[in-house]
Amino acid sequence: MFEIIKINLKTGRATIPIQAKNKEEFSVVGNELKNKIKQLLGGRSLHIRQIDAGSCNGCELEISALSNPIYDIERFGIHFVASPRHADVLLVTGPITRQMEPALIKTYEATPEPRIVIATGDCAINCGVYANSYAVSGPLNTIIPVDVNIPGCPPSPTAILQALLSILDRLPKK
Amino acid sequence: MSDSKKYFIARICSLLKLPANSLSANENEISAFLPLHELPLIVKRLCQMEEARCVFIGATDDRKNSKSFGLQYLFSIDKESLLILLRSKVPDHSLKFPSIAVQVAAAAAFEQEIWEFFGITPEGHPNLKNLLLHEDWPSETFPLRKDFDPHQKIKRVEKKSSNFLQVTGEGVFEIPVGPVHAGIIEPGHFRFSVAGEPVIHLEIQLGFTHKGIEKLAEGKTVLEAAALAERISGDASFAHSMAFCQAVEKIAKVTVPKKAQVLRVIFSEMERLYNHLGDIAGIATDVGFSFGAAQMLRLRELILQKNDRFTGHRLLRGVNIPGGVLCDLTAEIKNELRSFLNLLLDQYAPVEHLYFETDSLMDRIEGTGIVLEKVVRDLTGVGPVARASNVKIDLRQDFPYADYPNLKFEVAFRKEGDVAARMLVKMAEFKEAVSIIFQALDHLTDEPLVVNIQSLPEGSALGWAESARGEIFHWLRIGRDGKVERLKIKSPSFSNWRILPWAVQGNIVPDFPLINKSFNLSYSGNDR
Ligand code: SF4
């Protein structure tokens, strides 16, 4: 245990700091996001429900990376929730396989308004390499209305955070 | 080749009625054609007397050329490092072949898949039902037949009755879960039959992420198909692309430059590193030991960032192509990688130690989710799941490829078969992987990175790679036009998913996430 504490002291903070100069940087985006969430949601945090609609799991890998100590997305007031009923935002990945389409629609219907839908990754946007397959019903915007696209295969954690920032303007003020 | 191996091969050849010298050029593959009616007996002998393991069964639609469907059975005799590919033919007027599932349990799922995708029936199959295509799939619609249009939209038919095995009795009830789960994971549907806390039976329905990858690959150039291969399972992008590229290279009869082979080893071990750390962290998360998990996840993210820095992609996509790799490591980067690995080991060791000291973690995982060796052998489990149950198979050692023959490493294995054993195997493999990268770095020479593949002759070949989850096989056939005619993908998860229900039986429901995490299976790899 003390070994680790020693290493941690030496390493310093692993998390990317909140004050940074470079506009592109994760923390700048995150900080802006935090302020907006505060402004718009009146201190409430932003709740996201992720839905895998047939992804290759690459997108999931990057979305879960957002929660690791380096990105630590919860510090910006963003929270992944277990139920669509608690969600403000649906983060959908994958080309929407024929066999996930019904479950996706049910989940969408279970999410309270205003539900913001984000197509995450090239697959959700245009089906990527799986386009025109018999087993694919997507892209996402042909099935449910999409508010924001995050391109990339998979999109980087920073890109995902940036997209979250851009949607906040669409949430009703509290 | 040793005398005992020669003798062994002569025995197999006589069993298959082949001339004694019919070993292919690379000395570990035998291929034989057998008429359908002889198959069951020979397979039975191979499996029972020679300890052959059923790796996969695939099919092809050859009705255009030979008025028949082709079948391919791949067996592996691991202790002798020998692969046996049996081929057979099903005439298009009969559409039936004898099932071997009663003798070889692992064959059951492959036969179901062939029935579902080609419409040829395994006669005598003990449990013939849909595997990947769901109940609203129309009958007589077989995606892997050549006359099936890959781009059509399939209408939904009224659902047939559900496929689940139901347990009845006093106090037994069913807990359905999924396909949309609580966490950030892939979709699948589980049904637990429980009486009180312990699970009596678990039924799993997959196929939610079925994307028709095998069908999509058909008619594509190998370069296009390589991009698909990288997207079979995101966290095994490199391993899948390696298996695919090696199959192409065999058909093209080219030898990849030594440097590219070494780089392939380095990148596939980097993939193993980040996957294993993620799995080890996941175990801690699931028992509520978030301090340990956070430490492991921090190190994992550092590896992903290094991947990005060295190759331009965090998941190592776009690095491999048929003929070699596209990404070199400069002298400066090599040094950076060396010092990074040292740092990684230094910081990993105390966290691992902390895991062992944390009773709340170790108590939960020891004795939980035990998989018996017999189950692994019967269902031909692979990867860390097999190695944690005393089945010591690893393609890197048994069928070495790329630069692996020139590297020294131990294959980690345990006997207990529980969650702890699977975690310990991964911990040992993590350290071995670092040592492999160190060794490989010394093997890098100044050579070109790619050999040009001018044109591809007609033909078929097997490619394989040991991913973090276990063995991957790709069986590729190139047609006369130099394009992909058939790609059969065998992912490690396809076998290991069939083992999970056995690991869960008798355990309590709250331990399911933990057991599931210790398997860490790919839904997409299974469903393709
Ligand atoms: S966008 Fe790329 S990473 Fe994401 S699901 Fe599609 S293929 Fe996988």
Side-chain angles (χ1 to χ4, degrees):
Chain A
M1 185 79 186
F2 290 112
E3 269 303 288
I4 301 183
I5 294 179
K6 215 163 83 193
I7 289 181
N8 283 356
L9 287 175
K10 256 200 287 183
T11 317
R13 181 165 60 182
T15 314
I16 304 170
I18 287 200
Q19 268 81 35
K21 302 261 146 43
N22 186 350
K23 257 278 172 216
E24 305 300 310
E25 268 184 49
F26 185 86
S27 42
V28 177
V29 181
N31 213 16
E32 242 175 274
L33 189 55
K34 189 178 172 182
N35 292 337
K36 275 206 176 159
I37 292 176
K38 220 174 185 173
Q39 234 175 7
L40 293 171
L41 304 177
R44 201 160 65 80
S45 55
L46 184 69
H47 286 187
I48 301 179
R49 170 67 242 188
Q50 193 267 337
I51 306 169
D52 177 337
S55 94
C56 75
N57 83 27
C59 282
E60 274 60 46
L61 201 154
E62 293 298 45
I63 295 170
S64 2
L66 283 169
S67 305
N68 73 32
I70 293 192
Y71 300 114
D72 188 18
I73 194 176
E74 294 231 354
R75 72 190 146 135
F76 304 127
I78 297 170
H79 187 58
F80 287 100
V81 291
S83 164
R85 302 210 187 274
H86 303 156
D88 305 304
V89 174
L90 293 179
L91 203 57
V92 186
T93 65
I96 324 300
T97 53
R98 175 185 183 277
Q99 315 205 113
M100 260 313 277
E101 187 185 348
L104 170 75
I105 293 172
K106 271 192 203 159
T107 314
Y108 176 73
E109 282 166 358
T111 312
E113 307 251 12
R115 45 198 165 195
I116 301 225
V117 177
I118 307 183
T120 316
D122 291 350
C123 282
I125 299 172
N126 58 24
C127 297
V129 292
Y130 317 114
N132 292 325
S133 164
Y134 66 90
V136 163
S137 310
L140 182 60
N141 67 7
T142 62
I143 295 167
I144 54 176
V146 173
D147 297 281
V148 182
N149 288 330
I150 315 181
C153 180
S156 68
T158 315
I160 301 173
L161 201 68
Q162 242 153 2
L164 291 178
L165 180 62
S166 75
I167 55 153
L168 278 175
D169 296 331
R170 300 168 195 228
L171 285 179
K173 291 203 172 66
K174 275 251 160 123
Chain B
M1 199 191 287
S2 69
D3 278 352
S4 74
K5 175 137 189 199
K6 268 190 203 141
Y7 171 74
F8 177 76
I9 286 172
R11 202 166 76 213
I12 298 287
C13 288
S14 85
L15 176 66
L16 302 177
K17 302 193 183 92
L18 292 171
N21 54 356
S22 25
L23 208 53
S24 71
N26 35 3
E27 297 212 329
N28 53 16
E29 287 176 50
I30 293 183
S31 171
F33 181 85
L34 291 175
L36 267 186
H37 64 271
E38 285 183 18
L39 255 174
L41 189 65
I42 293 203
V43 165
K44 194 172 164 187
R45 282 210 195 144
L46 274 178
C47 292
Q48 290 178 355
M49 284 151 61
E50 311 292 352
E51 293 177 40
R53 173 170 69 90
C54 175
V55 178
F56 72 72
I57 308 175
T60 49
D61 177 357
D62 306 330
R63 285 175 300 168
K64 204 163 156 206
N65 297 326
S66 66
K67 289 201 178 341
S68 63
F69 288 89
L71 292 176
Q72 302 84 36
Y73 294 72
L74 184 67
F75 292 90
S76 161
I77 302 184
D78 302 298
K79 62 178 184 347
E80 301 285 351
S81 297
L82 188 69
L83 289 172
I84 302 171
L85 184 71
L86 302 180
R87 290 166 290 122
S88 199
K89 257 188 199 168
V90 183
D92 65 357
H93 53 81
S94 90
L95 297 180
K96 278 187 249 149
F97 65 106
S99 165
I100 56 167
V102 174
Q103 299 100 311
V104 184
F110 296 111
E111 291 180 349
Q112 272 172 276
E113 196 185 29
I114 290 173
W115 171 71
E116 193 171 33
F117 283 86
F118 287 92
I120 43 181
T121 311
E123 271 189 311
H125 191 290
N127 185 22
L128 201 55
K129 61 179 190 182
N130 277 29
L131 192 71
L132 296 179
L133 304 176
H134 289 179
E135 302 109 23
D136 63 357
W137 186 268
S139 55
E140 300 297 313
T141 312
F142 306 113
L144 285 173
R145 284 195 178 179
K146 286 288 177 194
D147 50 12
F148 177 93
D149 168 16
H151 309 309
Q152 63 183 294
K153 289 278 165 248
I154 308 290
K155 64 175 194 303
R156 290 182 199 275
V157 297
E158 201 165 317
K159 288 195 179 175
K160 293 164 240 165
S161 63
S162 102
N163 266 335
F164 295 104
L165 179 80
Q166 279 196 323
V167 182
T168 50
E170 201 186 318
V172 177
F173 63 98
E174 212 176 54
I175 312 175
V177 181
V180 178
H181 299 293
I184 304 174
I185 50 168
E186 298 176 71
H189 181 69
F190 301 103
R191 283 195 190 194
F192 301 90
S193 297
V194 297
E197 284 271 274
V199 179
I200 302 174
H201 180 71
L202 166 63
E203 284 275 296
I204 303 176
Q205 184 185 32
L206 297 172
F208 290 94
T209 70
H210 175 63
K211 296 179 273 286
I213 294 180
E214 289 184 7
K215 184 72 181 184
L216 280 176
E218 292 179 6
K220 291 220 161 39
T221 65
V222 288
L223 273 182
E224 290 164 340
L228 261 178
E230 283 187 331
R231 287 163 180 81
I232 293 165
S233 179
D235 48 13
S237 298
F238 197 82
H240 270 290
S241 95
M242 184 131 106
F244 178 80
C245 291
Q246 287 175 350
V248 177
E249 288 148 10
K250 260 198 215 165
I251 296 175
K253 299 198 175 59
V254 296
T255 313
V256 175
K258 161 101 176 159
K259 184 174 193 180
Q261 299 191 355
V262 177
L263 286 168
R264 279 181 177 175
V265 167
I266 295 177
F267 294 131
S268 56
E269 294 304 318
M270 290 290 275
E271 190 169 81
R272 193 176 328 275
L273 287 182
Y274 84 71
N275 271 300
H276 278 3
L277 281 188
D279 289 2
I280 296 168
I283 299 288
T285 309
D286 280 349
V287 303
F289 177 43
S290 37
F291 178 71
Q295 299 292 332
M296 291 291 185
L297 287 176
R298 181 177 71 84
L299 297 177
R300 175 187 204 238
E301 173 66 24
L302 295 181
I303 302 173
L304 290 170
Q305 290 180 353
K306 286 291 172 205
N307 282 348
D308 189 25
R309 182 163 147 63
F310 299 159
T311 70
H313 201 288
R314 284 161 60 96
L315 309 185
L316 303 166
R317 281 183 179 156
V319 177
N320 234 346
I321 58 158
V325 292
L326 293 175
C327 174
D328 199 359
L329 297 181
T330 61
E332 182 201 342
I333 297 242
K334 271 194 267 179
N335 285 335
E336 186 181 329
L337 180 54
R338 279 200 188 92
S339 50
F340 171 68
L341 291 175
N342 279 324
L343 172 116
L344 197 62
L345 278 186
D346 282 353
Q347 304 205 342
Y348 167 82
V351 189
E352 187 193 86
H353 186 68
L354 182 68
Y355 267 58
F356 300 149
E357 279 190 337
T358 307
D359 295 340
S360 58
L361 168 76
M362 298 310 284
D363 284 353
R364 264 298 285 287
I365 64 178
E366 280 168 1
T368 306
I370 295 179
V371 181
L372 298 179
E373 179 178 342
K374 177 161 171 42
V375 173
V376 173
R377 294 210 184 268
D378 285 353
L379 296 175
T380 59
V382 295
V385 171
R387 295 193 283 273
S389 294
N390 204 23
V391 177
K392 201 176 171 186
I393 50 170
D394 188 328
L395 294 178
R396 294 175 297 170
Q397 192 175 61
D398 304 337
F399 300 95
Y401 49 93
D403 195 41
Y404 284 110
N406 308 318
L407 297 162
K408 280 203 191 62
F409 59 96
E410 289 288 319
V411 175
F413 77 108
R414 312 264 324 171
K415 296 206 164 92
E416 302 87 348
D418 54 2
V419 172
R422 288 187 280 279
M423 186 184 83
L424 291 170
V425 164
K426 286 175 189 166
M427 285 174 158
E429 287 181 5
F430 172 83
K431 286 174 273 185
E432 281 300 320
V434 174
S435 129
I436 291 175
I437 301 178
F438 270 124
Q439 294 175 48
L441 279 169
D442 293 333
H443 293 184
L444 283 173
T445 48
D446 272 330
E447 263 180 295
L449 289 172
V450 211
V451 357
N452 213 346
I453 296 178
Q454 297 288 356
S455 66
L456 272 175
E458 194 179 349
S460 61
L462 273 172
W464 58 84
E466 183 81 20
S467 73
R469 285 196 185 87
E471 62 183 37
I472 291 174
F473 275 90
H474 283 208
W475 183 82
L476 175 68
R477 183 191 272 175
I478 298 292
R480 238 170 254 152
D481 53 0
K483 300 207 168 132
V484 177
E485 196 178 295
R486 170 88 174 104
L487 174 63
K488 162 76 193 153
I489 302 156
K490 161 63 180 54
S491 75
S493 301
F494 192 86
S495 332
N496 286 357
W497 269 116
R498 327 280 148 219
I499 295 180
L500 184 63
W502 296 90
V504 176
Q505 233 170 48
N507 285 266
I508 55 173
V509 179
D511 275 344
F512 173 71
L514 193 59
I515 300 170
N516 194 17
K517 189 73 219 175
S518 75
F519 274 67
N520 187 25
L521 299 171
S522 166
Y523 298 65
S524 183
N526 175 80
D527 300 346
R528 288 151 292 143

